[in-house]
Amino acid sequence: MMTSRSEPLFEQASQYLVGGVNSAVRAFRAVGGTPVFMRRGEGAWIEDVDGKQYVDYVLSYGPLAMGHAHPDVVRAITDTAARGTSFGAPTELETELAMKVQAIMPGIERLRMVNSGTEACMSAVRLARGYTGRDRVLKFRGNYHGHVDALLVEAGSGVLTLGIPGSPGVPAAVTETTLTAPYNDIDAVRQLFAEYGDTIAAVLVEPVSGNMNCVPALPSFLRGLRELCDESGALLVFDEVMSGFRAALGGAQAWYGIDPDLTCLGKVIGGGLPTAALGGRADVMDWLAPTGPVYQAGTLSGNPLAMASGLATLAALSQPGVHADAVAWTARLLEGLRERAAGAGVPLFTHQAGTMFGLFFTDSDSVVGFEDVAACDGERFKRFFHGMLEAGVYLAPSAFEAGFVSTAHDETALQHTLDAAERVFADL
Ligand SMILES: *Cc1c(COP(=O)(O)O)cnc(C)c1O
């Protein structure tokens, strides 16, 4: 018996909101059943409208690096709100957050705050095109860069190495300049550069892919991209909307030791409020308006509430040992899950990138590309998902989403999760 109040609430919501949700990933289309309505969260736990508690591994799809309702973050937001929520004029908080980001990610010399990861990626493409005077962009199959027209390429649609993708609702003219290649396949990228190199403005990549479950890039793949971009004059754009402040505190760029030209940030940078950012080399960033000709603006960009929330989150997260402890916790979680899966005879492969993780129901020990993820046992994931949900563990309702850990995940949450997994694995 699943939660009861969620069902009528979802029915009602569906009459007013498309599909009953405001972001497609929240619907339970892939796993079946009714989305669970939540009413509060504290630390690692969320509570649904029936009062049932869950250990949360969704964390709003990544932003809540300090867990739900962290006291510092709540205080920063309420104190700031009491002084006014938006001015349309510069505030010190914007500079403070930019300084904090730069201290954590020294490769980012200049920043522009925006309101969503989608905006950051959209602006990255426009800036790269303006700066290089070239039109083509290259992205990878299974990577997600928000719902940007030119980047919204149907994953799993049979798009091949040299294919030119299309997407419903997007004029062909917009995607004609988008090239795609398989993730972690540097030879395919080399071929594309051989053919199109002098017309490629940017390579956009999730250095840790978190939108086809969690699949870290091979170091040689990212090094290869850096070299190809340097040779051809294309900009290397790391989409760290998800991996930023997670793969390592300094993001995937710190984890791999590779500097991109531009970085897209989102999710954790706002600590649960809507903000995101585009950052990178000053000589490139200064091509944005008002110093440069590439237009970009936003009514609520850099708004005080989101800046305060982001600052409080990053200040707490960057205290010595705080992120490292959450990474160590994540490793123990995965070790515990693998042990219990093995005990029940369920083949399980895992990936970890800092406080991001991926669970794969496969007996393969190599998951590097979209096809590897798609080949996992989807039926088994569905049963695992619903079993864990019933047992009070909240995972994303899709085998193509990463899992997230916060600094608030403690021994109690770990034990609760592993006990639940032991029972659920036994039923698979
Ligand atoms: C979530 C995400 C985006 C889009 O961010 P929104 O804030 O949802 O628009 C872009 N890129 C990556 C890698 C993401 O994970």
Side-chain angles (χ1 to χ4, degrees), residues 290-302:
T291 41
V294 178
Y295 194 67
Q296 201 286 327
T299 301
L300 291 173
S301 294

Side-chain angles (χ1 to χ4, degrees), residues 23 61 115-121 143-147 205-211 239-243 264-267 274-276 401 404:
S23 184
Y61 288 87
N115 302 292
S116 70
T118 295
E119 268 187 75
C121 296
N143 278 194
Y144 177 67
H145 305 291
H147 54 100
V205 63
E206 283 186 72
V208 170
S209 186
N211 290 285
D239 181 352
E240 296 226 49
V241 169
M242 194 183 279
S243 58
C264 301
L265 294 171
K267 299 193 168 110
T275 201
E401 298 289 342
F404 302 99

